[in-house]
Amino acid sequence: ADHDDVLIPYWKEFANAIVHWSEYHAGEATLQVIIRRIETPDAVLDVLCPAIKRSKVRAFGFTGDGSPKTWRFAKFIGDIIRTNHGLTSLGFHSVTLSNEEWKTICNAIRMRHLQASIMRGFQLKKCFVGGICTEMLKDILTSKALGVDLGSNGMSSNESQIIAEFLASNP
């Protein structure tokens, strides 16, 4: 939007505050950061990414308006997952991405699992208009997150077989 440049100083201040708190005040405490219904163009993601990657953010998420995003959101989330191993929970509500972008995020969780750093929670609520396709559902279920929440995604009994097979084969 036309006013995005005006808000960048505030995003920088927010990013600096997250890092400052993590370095000087956190102790054993951690942060939960949820960005709700606020536009985050690439310039904002560029400001937030280094701060979230090096901070003590345990839970991170976005609540959107359900409209598809055109920015490099999946790369941003993937960078954070791969770098901030203190991050244990990731959540999205009404964030619409392509299946390929969700796959990028699932792959980052999978890769992190290989490094013995577990993602405990992965929430995707109202993120799939018209339901989740079979391939995407399998990608999410095999992402290696300990808990997956797929509420309000328009799933039907068709997906129940896939979920049952996954649960039966998951040790």
Side-chain angles (χ1 to χ4, degrees):
D2 295 333
H3 60 279
D4 288 344
D5 292 341
V6 175
L7 297 175
I8 290 295
Y10 298 101
W11 285 110
K12 287 180 180 177
E13 186 175 340
F14 177 59
N16 289 337
I18 290 171
V19 171
H20 179 82
W21 182 86
S22 294
E23 290 177 357
Y24 299 104
H25 302 288
E28 295 301 313
T30 57
L31 284 175
Q32 175 177 333
V33 176
I34 308 296
I35 298 175
R36 296 179 195 265
R37 297 182 177 266
I38 299 173
E39 219 173 293
T40 51
D42 288 342
V44 170
L45 299 181
D46 291 343
V47 168
L48 290 178
C49 194
I52 302 294
K53 284 166 57 171
R54 66 184 260 210
S55 68
K56 287 194 171 187
V57 172
R58 176 189 50 81
F60 187 58
F62 279 83
T63 297
D65 59 6
S67 60
K69 305 301 180 206
T70 57
W71 26 254
R72 10 175 242 268
F73 187 75
K75 181 187 180 313
F76 165 77
I77 295 296
D79 285 349
I80 290 168
I81 292 168
R82 285 186 292 277
T83 308
N84 184 340
H85 288 222
L87 182 73
T88 60
S89 183
L90 194 56
F92 305 97
H93 188 284
S94 298
V95 173
T96 307
L97 300 175
S98 70
N99 285 347
E100 197 58 39
E101 290 166 311
W102 286 122
K103 186 177 184 116
T104 296
I105 293 169
C106 289
N107 285 339
I109 295 171
R110 226 177 262 112
M111 293 300 294
R112 193 170 122 170
H113 183 79
L114 292 174
Q115 300 169 346
S117 180
I118 307 298
M119 182 68 66
R120 297 202 178 282
F122 187 31
Q123 180 185 68
L124 298 140
K125 287 190 163 192
K126 290 188 177 181
C127 292
F128 299 93
V129 178
I132 302 174
C133 74
T134 300
E135 181 182 329
M136 188 72 259
L137 181 58
K138 287 178 181 179
D139 262 344
I140 293 167
L141 293 174
T142 60
S143 68
K144 299 291 186 181
L146 289 183
V148 175
D149 182 349
L150 296 169
S152 303
N153 279 304
M155 293 195 300
S156 67
S157 59
N158 296 336
E159 289 84 12
S160 63
Q161 182 66 31
I162 296 164
I163 294 169
E165 287 172 9
F166 170 76
L167 292 173
S169 68
N170 191 14

